[in-house]
Amino acid sequence: MSFTGKYELQHQENFEPFMRALGLPEDQIQKGKDLKSVSEIVQDGKKFTITITTGSKVMKNQFTIGEESEIEMLNGEKVKAVVQMEGNNKLVTQVKGMKSVTELNGDTITYTMTMGDLTLKRVSKRI
C-alpha cells in the first residue's frame, strides 16, 4: 500500500491541550487550531518525504524506514528518530517520550500522537 498522495485535515481531537503540553505559546495554538492543514506524502520504497502545510507554515521531513533521521516536531524542535513500518499501512516512531503512529486506511490517514495520558488525533482524507 502506497502512502503517496495529498491529504487534507478533516478533524482533530485534543489539539489545544497537546500543543500546550509541547510548550507552544497560546497565540500559536489559537492561530493553528482552526487552520486546515494539507499533508503531501511521497513514498519511494522505504524513503518518505512528508510536507505539511498549515497556513503559511511549511514543515518538511524526509526519512528512510529503519534508519535514523532528523525529524522536525510540531513545535519546531528537530530531533533524531527512527521510523518503523508495521504491516504495510502504519508508520511508527518514538521520540522524546512520545509515540507517533500514522495509519493509512483507504483514502484516510489517521495520525495519533501519545504523550503520557494525552493523545492528539488528526484525521485527514485524500484530495
Side-chain angles (χ1 to χ4, degrees):
M1 185 178 288
S2 176
F3 282 79
T4 297
K6 275 190 171 183
Y7 303 86
E8 184 177 44
L9 180 66
Q10 300 299 305
H11 62 89
Q12 56 190 358
E13 299 165 16
N14 287 332
F15 178 81
E16 292 177 66
F18 197 89
M19 292 302 140
R20 282 187 195 104
L22 277 179
L24 250 69
E26 194 64 33
D27 63 323
Q28 282 185 22
I29 294 170
Q30 293 308 315
K31 264 197 306 200
K33 71 176 182 171
D34 296 320
L35 289 175
K36 286 288 184 210
S37 68
V38 174
S39 302
E40 183 172 4
I41 301 174
V42 177
Q43 179 183 357
D44 180 11
K46 291 183 161 195
K47 292 185 189 297
F48 282 78
T49 302
I50 300 178
T51 307
I52 302 170
T53 306
T54 307
S56 61
K57 182 170 172 24
V58 178
M59 188 171 77
K60 185 174 186 174
N61 284 314
Q62 294 178 301
F63 59 88
T64 301
I65 299 298
E67 295 181 13
E68 187 176 76
S69 307
E70 188 174 76
I71 306 261
E72 184 180 346
M73 295 180 29
L74 293 171
N75 61 0
E77 185 180 350
K78 292 186 186 311
V79 294
K80 298 265 187 224
V82 177
V83 180
Q84 301 291 351
M85 180 154 315
E86 289 183 6
N88 64 354
N89 71 329
K90 225 183 244 190
L91 302 173
V92 181
T93 189
Q94 295 265 2
V95 66
K96 295 193 81 173
M98 273 184 289
K99 182 176 183 181
S100 168
V101 179
T102 304
E103 185 172 3
L104 176 64
N105 284 308
D107 284 343
T108 303
I109 282 191
T110 304
Y111 176 69
T112 309
M113 282 187 81
T114 307
M115 183 170 47
D117 58 0
L118 198 55
T119 299
L120 168 68
K121 187 173 180 182
R122 299 172 58 121
V123 178
S124 298
K125 288 260 192 230
R126 192 183 298 260
I127 52 175

